[in-house]
Amino acid sequence: MNGFSVIAPGMLSLLQDNGRFGQSALGLTTGGAMDASSARWANRLLGNHSNAPLIECSVGGLQLRAGCSSYIAVTGAELPLTINGNPAELWAVHKVQQGDVIELGMVNQGLRAYLAVAGGFNITAQFGSVSTVLREGIGGLKGNKLQTGDLLAAEPVKQLPLLSLPQTYQPQFNRVLTLRLVEGYQAESFSVTELQRFYLNSYTVTPQADRMGYKLKGAAIRCQQSQLLSEGICYGAVQIPPDGQPIVLLNDRQTLGGYPKIGSVLSLDCALLAQAVAGTELYFTPISPEQAHNALCLAKVRTDAITSQLVSL
Amino acid sequence: MSKPQYQLTLAGENALMLYFDQRIDPTISALVQQACVLIRAELAADLIDVLPSYASVLVMFNPCRTDHFRVQAQLQHCLAQLQNRDSQSGKRVELPVYYSEESGPDLALIAQTKNISIDEVIQRHQAISYRVYAIGFAPGFAYLGEVDPLLQMPRLATPRAKVPRGAVAIADRQTAVYPAQSPGGWNLIGLCPTPMFNPDASPAMPVSVGDEVRFVAIDKAEFLRLGGELQGVEL
């Protein structure tokens, strides 16, 4: 079989794509690459379909052996990348030959790196997606994280332009974050004072932060409503449990929940939050749905423009 | 009959919440079910997902194809067709249950608390047909209601670390079958051999929101014949 073999999976390496949609009525969550922006850049540099299966490597430590000639790109968290022991740049396409060893070191900045191969890994989708959700045992290879000895099928690729993304376009993961939030759900059940407290104070990422959600620590927020009938939770929803400490619900969130929610963080900012380590300081700022729509459209136009610029070089 | 009342609220950059009167009630659940059908037809390819629950529907759309304003207008248009009806439009599903103290470790506690016999607990659990109000918590976990008032039991003070796959359980006004082994705080009264979630089957679940479920007692031999397993019961 052509493809790549796993020499070492590192801390947590998962096969992902953009996520599993249209299955929430079965209780299945969406999953998908936590930093969707970095993941899409890995595929875009290689000329892949935007939903091509790739590896999300959290914290680092992944080692692969190429079983055929192909091209790879690693994006996302900053970590040392080597091919046969030689340093290689992130956010860039590299040629690999059969037998080459690709090694991702431990992250310096950010949390999750994305490794994509030309054409994408050839993985059988479950419920329309290869995204691995460990809690559900769905996606990836038999619902599991990558293990030593796993074989990831991929077609050999002979010729591809060696594109790279200039540093000015690469995201920075070491700064204080401001998360833009579209107010919604039970926003009206929070008093003006509580909302001000929420927007004016800084929060820090706690160690209880994973693919399900990021628990934050800071000024406690009170809601007039304490419990509701369980209802659907969308991506980025900010839930306020009885202790008043917000939780931003991300890719592997539970589909239903009964805690009040202030609204939802813009997806572009959720991708940055997904790279935040414990102790990262952040703020929330409210935006209108018009501003959210505008930001999404601008981001799309901007990445498309950068991509065509890279290709024409 | 009066027009059904609903409220539309923002949820996120590409999501709107549709709320009905916030109570657990078959007529509200029927509205949720109707709304899902209408919304799927109206929004078609602009939809990413529709997520029904007890008295709400989360509508997620593709922000590259449409926006809140258009979706809101479309929802108001299609929801004008909602009607208050009592009729049951979901499937009727029978689920076999091996009720026993061996398979349902909390049967005796319920009987004792309510001062009725274990047999009566089993009879009363089967006597009602339940509505699937919501699916969530885990893939295939269907919240069924409402339980006979005499069987309503609060959740355990300390949830069990391991509830076996197929466990039939009661919490307050609701009953459910655990689709897979998981932690859980519900009161266990039996085991169901029917898989509640099988990713390789189509459909993956025997029930969906709005369906009507009845439990039917089977004996141990039948339970084992149907593929049930007792070995997971370590409580």
Side-chain angles (χ1 to χ4, degrees):
Chain A
M1 186 179 75
N2 282 317
F4 292 74
S5 56
V6 178
I7 302 170
M11 296 292 280
L12 175 64
S13 293
L14 301 170
L15 285 160
Q16 295 292 347
D17 54 22
N18 292 340
R20 187 170 286 110
F21 298 97
Q23 307 295 342
S24 63
L26 295 174
L28 288 169
T29 191
T30 51
M34 287 278 280
D35 175 358
S37 168
S38 295
R40 280 176 197 170
W41 268 118
N43 277 326
R44 203 176 281 121
L45 288 168
L46 291 159
N48 290 348
H49 186 272
S50 66
N51 198 34
L54 44 60
I55 299 172
E56 175 180 279
C57 172
S58 295
V59 192
L62 173 70
Q63 287 179 56
L64 297 180
R65 179 176 284 112
C68 60
S69 62
S70 184
Y71 293 81
I72 64 153
V74 178
T75 62
E78 191 190 312
L79 47 68
L81 168 67
T82 60
I83 299 172
N84 296 328
N86 302 315
E89 270 185 47
L90 302 174
W91 304 91
V93 175
H94 301 285
K95 187 170 175 60
V96 292
Q97 310 275 12
Q98 185 175 358
D100 283 357
V101 174
I102 302 148
E103 187 171 353
L104 278 62
M106 290 297 160
V107 293
N108 301 317
Q109 255 162 36
L111 200 53
R112 300 167 216 276
Y114 294 89
L115 184 150
V117 300
F121 292 107
N122 195 356
I123 308 295
T124 307
Q126 261 187 308
F127 298 98
S129 164
V130 309
S131 287
T132 316
V133 179
L134 292 178
R135 185 180 76 244
E136 297 174 348
I138 296 284
L141 300 177
K142 295 182 180 158
N144 257 323
K145 56 186 178 182
L146 293 187
Q147 319 267 345
T148 300
D150 280 349
L151 294 173
L152 309 172
E155 291 301 315
V157 174
K158 292 270 180 271
Q159 200 68 45
L160 211 63
L162 297 176
L163 301 184
S164 64
L165 185 70
Q167 200 173 2
T168 82
Y169 299 131
Q170 297 170 16
Q172 301 293 312
F173 300 131
N174 55 343
R175 54 192 174 87
V176 175
L177 287 175
T178 299
L179 305 178
R180 289 166 286 181
L181 174 132
V182 177
E183 286 186 0
Y185 282 113
Q186 290 75 34
E188 287 176 4
S189 301
F190 294 87
S191 70
V192 174
T193 318
E194 293 301 318
L195 286 176
Q196 277 185 340
R197 197 192 313 283
F198 178 65
Y199 293 124
L200 292 175
N201 285 284
S202 75
Y203 287 89
T204 50
V205 173
T206 68
Q208 291 148 283
D210 58 20
R211 288 187 46 91
M212 271 182 90
Y214 271 48
K215 174 111 185 158
L216 308 177
K217 190 168 182 292
I221 303 301
R222 256 159 280 282
C223 181
Q224 275 109 319
Q225 246 177 318
S226 59
Q227 277 280 330
L228 351 145
L229 282 181
S230 278
E231 60 182 34
I233 302 175
C234 71
Y235 181 56
V238 179
Q239 177 176 282
I240 309 291
D243 68 1
Q245 302 294 329
I247 302 172
V248 185
L249 293 159
L250 298 171
N251 301 62
D252 288 4
R253 66 195 177 279
Q254 62 276 30
T255 52
L256 300 177
Y259 289 129
K261 296 169 284 300
I262 289 186
S264 303
V265 173
L266 191 71
S267 56
L268 301 167
D269 296 345
C270 287
L272 291 170
L273 179 63
Q275 293 286 7
V277 294
T280 302
E281 189 183 3
L282 57 86
Y283 290 86
F284 290 95
T285 189
I287 58 167
S288 67
E290 291 91 334
Q291 287 171 307
H293 197 249
N294 194 31
L296 293 175
C297 290
L298 271 176
K300 189 178 186 313
V301 169
R302 187 166 174 267
T303 47
D304 286 351
I306 297 169
T307 307
S308 57
Q309 202 184 323
L310 298 180
V311 173
S312 66
L313 278 177
Chain B
M1 212 179 250
S2 65
K3 280 308 254 180
Q5 297 297 303
Y6 66 85
Q7 194 195 334
L8 277 172
T9 308
L10 273 175
E13 70 191 29
N14 68 335
L16 287 161
M17 280 297 286
L18 167 64
Y19 287 114
F20 294 104
D21 200 10
Q22 290 297 294
R23 55 197 164 88
I24 302 178
D25 183 287
T27 58
I28 301 286
S29 178
L31 287 173
V32 167
Q33 214 185 333
Q34 274 182 59
C36 287
V37 173
L38 293 169
I39 292 167
R40 285 197 178 95
E42 179 80 20
L43 293 175
D46 290 346
L47 269 183
I48 285 180
D49 213 343
V50 177
L51 178 45
S53 188
Y54 294 95
S56 66
V57 180
L58 174 62
V59 181
M60 290 163 272
F61 55 85
N62 183 343
C64 293
R65 293 179 59 116
T66 187
D67 60 38
H68 287 97
F69 307 103
R70 182 149 178 264
V71 171
Q72 195 149 350
Q74 284 175 296
L75 289 179
Q76 279 160 352
H77 173 253
C78 77
L79 295 174
Q81 298 168 56
L82 280 176
Q83 285 177 342
N84 282 312
R85 321 186 263 244
D86 302 330
S87 66
Q88 171 61 42
S89 54
K91 306 190 291 290
R92 283 169 208 277
V93 179
E94 276 194 0
L95 293 175
V97 182
Y98 169 41
Y99 297 100
S100 69
E101 288 188 79
E102 172 185 36
S103 54
D106 298 323
L107 267 178
L109 176 71
I110 299 175
Q112 198 188 347
T113 310
K114 304 294 181 176
N115 203 18
I116 53 177
S117 68
I118 286 180
D119 277 346
E120 192 174 348
V121 175
I122 296 171
Q123 288 311 320
R124 284 178 179 268
H125 190 252
Q126 292 175 78
I128 289 177
S129 87
Y130 302 96
R131 187 178 183 97
V132 179
Y133 278 103
I135 291 168
F137 170 65
F141 192 98
Y143 292 88
L144 309 173
E146 293 198 2
V147 170
D148 184 322
L150 202 51
L151 300 187
Q152 295 177 5
M153 288 285 285
R155 286 170 174 78
L156 306 180
T158 310
R160 291 183 169 95
K162 269 187 196 177
V163 171
R165 168 191 160 98
V168 179
I170 291 175
D172 301 320
R173 294 180 290 173
Q174 304 187 86
T175 183
V177 181
Y178 279 80
Q181 181 188 292
S182 77
W186 291 31
N187 302 274
L188 311 182
I189 61 169
L191 283 168
C192 170
T194 308
M196 293 303 286
F197 182 74
N198 178 359
D200 302 321
S202 185
M205 284 186 66
V207 300
S208 47
V209 168
D211 287 352
E212 202 80 353
V213 173
R214 281 195 93 104
F215 293 105
V216 181
I218 53 169
D219 61 16
K220 187 173 181 174
E222 180 71 357
F223 171 72
L224 297 171
R225 196 188 63 77
L226 291 170
E229 282 176 34
L230 275 169
Q231 61 198 28
V233 194
E234 289 165 18
L235 308 150

